[in-house]
Amino acid sequence: MNDPAHYDPANEALRREVEWLFYREAELLDAWKLDEWRALLTEDASYFVPPNDKPHGDHNNTLFIVADDHVRLHERIVRLKDPNCHSEYPPSRTRRFISNVRVTPASGNEWLARANFIVHRNRRNSDVRIFTGEYINRLVRLNGALKIHERRAILDAEELGAMGAVSFIL
Amino acid sequence: MGQHARYVFEDAAADRFLVHRAAFFSEEVLRLEQERIFQKCWIYVGHSSEIRNPGDYLTRNVAGYPILFSRDNDGKVRALVNVCPHRGAIVCRERSGNARSFHCMYHGWTFNNDGTLRGVPGQDAYGPKFDKSRYSLPEPPRLESYRDFWFLNFDPDAVDLHTYLAGAKDYIDLILDQSPSGQMEIISGTQEYDIRANWKLLVENSVDDYHILITHRTWINYMANSGVDMRRKPGEMLPKIGRGVELGNGHLTTDNPNYRGRPVAAWISVYGEEAKEDVANIKAELVSRLGEARAERVANTNRNLVIFPNLVINDGSSVTVRNFTPVSPTLMKVTSFALGPVEETAEQRARRLHAFLTFYGPGGFATPDDVAALEAAQEGYSAHRIAPFNDISRGMHKPMADQFDTDEGHIRVFWRRWREIVEA
Ligand SMILES: [Fe+2]
């Protein structure tokens, strides 16, 4: 399973488990069950949305759209659950489509899990806003369960443009 | 002129200042703005640090025009109109790069990086009178800079940039005093997003401190959760009271004592214990270079600066350079960058970027709620026939010198200048 150019049936169980994790995330985020979603991530997890013009940049020297360490990720969830989070109150109706799930070993005991996404965001009196791109997540196994250690949502668009903001968890 | 030839109504006797909401959705108003503001005022193009070396270029929209902002082989900064003189196609279609020449993909006309025509495929067919010098990429008549900020002007008779900037220069100087060499740079990574609202709403919002307590309550909670003292005196809208300041020619700023963190140089606990000494050292450098009083001014005051008409420099949790261009009366495109001292260490740069994202930007804890507020306002203007006026009267019973940042005196400064130009 080290060679992504060849199909390895031995990889299949892990790939399905990773796919399940992506689907579970999508389900919880679309349902705004943010605490349950948070439990899919490690305690020290980080969450990134790189800028459209530097999709593979480093948040330490590049201005991102989102670059949360675990402290700010916690605060982001606090904010999103607050009715004073005006950009997401009432909460947007989102619908996530996940496909092209791939998994490869990364450094140490981590796996690199990738998937393509389409996220539709719907609000009253507004056109649907469509976000497409790729998730690149670093996964670890903790007490038998796969957990997201780092979550990165890379947008395809050349600019954020009509998407406006990333006010919900992409 | 139509029935709404007047939009700004000032009744000094009644301390009332009203703006007709047609100013935010009328095609006629936008046409007047394009003609009298965006064609006549100095409009921000870019920063020297974005095109450091000869041949460096980037393409961007400036005041609705496709501009090729570049440094030619001789090191001269240029703002070329990125349109082929032959048939009008966009010549350079890349975001940025380094090139000695630009090649039009339509008929292959090629231009040097100073905009002059280098070559035409099959030039013989034009005959002996063909004059290459007539076919340079067009340039706006004026391109000038103040401390690495470059502005263009389509009006050949406009006053020079330094005169135009008036009192805004002092505030740019104050921001640049953060750097030991007085030089700051645009940091990699661009936030480009649309707001479905009139561009003037973002002018107002950028300096409107009255809304912070309400619109940004979740940010205030986050600051409080992070150990920042967010307590207020009864009746006050923010932990500390600042001022709204008029800078001449329609420029304005807030000028506020700091109560939150500043990378240069006011430590708060979200920076981490390990950053405390480093931030103290940055402050000590300011004191030794600038003296106690100026250092305190640089390190412990915040400002949101509007350079008329459409450039905002926020100097608070971090420094942003943000400009915005109307696409239609109800839609603007926003471009936002982070600005940092060129001397910053990798650690200091990372801290600055982290601090930036707590408040600013389309994924920050505050800006998305500003966007929501502006779009809600724009939506409300559909009821202009029965609800025609915005009220901008707050603090109007006091002179300009006594205007708080949470008053609206500085917002009236913008509208008075706008009225002078658009209602002339
Ligand atoms: Fe705001």
Side-chain angles (χ1 to χ4, degrees), chain B residues 257-320:
Chain B
N258 176 51
Y259 55 87
R260 43 179 163 149
R262 289 177 56 83
V264 180
W267 180 88
I268 52 171
S269 61
V270 278
Y271 295 174
E273 279 301 319
E274 67 282 2
K276 209 168 190 171
E277 192 184 329
D278 192 31
V279 175
N281 289 339
I282 296 172
K283 177 75 189 292
E285 189 280 329
L286 293 177
V287 173
S288 70
R289 175 164 48 92
L290 303 169
E292 192 71 55
R294 179 75 172 179
E296 191 58 21
R297 184 102 173 87
V298 171
N300 253 320
T301 57
N302 298 319
R303 60 220 116 246
N304 287 6
L305 170 66
V306 171
I307 296 179
F308 190 92
N310 67 334
L311 174 65
V312 172
I313 305 177
N314 293 325
D315 177 19
S317 313
S318 206
V319 183
T320 75

Side-chain angles (χ1 to χ4, degrees), chain B residues 154-202:
Chain B
F154 293 104
D155 178 7
D157 301 322
V159 295
D160 66 277
L161 176 68
H162 288 219
T163 304
Y164 176 82
L165 288 175
K169 293 197 294 286
D170 294 341
Y171 280 86
I172 294 173
D173 293 346
L174 186 59
I175 293 165
L176 295 181
D177 269 352
Q178 294 181 36
S179 154
S181 65
Q183 290 176 65
M184 294 176 80
E185 62 189 356
I186 297 288
I187 299 169
S188 155
T190 315
Q191 297 177 336
E192 292 175 285
Y193 54 99
D194 300 354
I195 303 179
R196 289 159 178 80
N198 185 272
W199 67 278
K200 298 184 292 299
L201 278 166
L202 190 51

Side-chain angles (χ1 to χ4, degrees), chain A residues 51-54 58-69 71-73 75-79 82-88 124-129 158-167, chain B residues 95 187-194 196 214-219 221-222 225-226 270 333 336-338 346 349-350 353-358 360-366 368-369 371-372 375 379:
Chain A
N52 298 65
D53 64 332
K54 291 281 173 353
D58 172 357
H59 69 283
N60 288 307
N61 57 32
T62 297
L63 178 65
F64 271 39
I65 295 169
V66 176
D68 286 350
D69 55 17
V71 177
R72 193 155 66 197
L73 180 56
E75 293 293 337
R76 186 176 296 276
I77 292 169
V78 170
R79 165 174 147 77
D82 188 331
N84 288 303
C85 177
H86 309 289
S87 50
E88 288 297 335
R124 273 188 92 194
N125 304 325
S126 173
D127 294 335
V128 60
R129 301 188 186 185
E158 288 277 347
E159 54 172 50
L160 198 57
M163 287 173 267
V166 182
S167 47
Chain B
R95 185 185 285 274
I187 299 169
S188 155
T190 315
Q191 297 177 336
E192 292 175 285
Y193 54 99
D194 300 354
R196 289 159 178 80
I214 311 302
T215 305
H216 302 308
R217 188 172 294 276
T218 64
W219 172 78
N221 292 343
Y222 167 49
N225 294 345
S226 306
V270 278
K333 286 199 172 288
S336 179
F337 300 97
R349 184 53 60 84
L353 290 169
H354 187 277
F356 186 111
L357 295 180
T358 56
Y360 306 117
F365 279 32
D369 295 336
V371 173
E375 294 185 347
E379 199 180 324

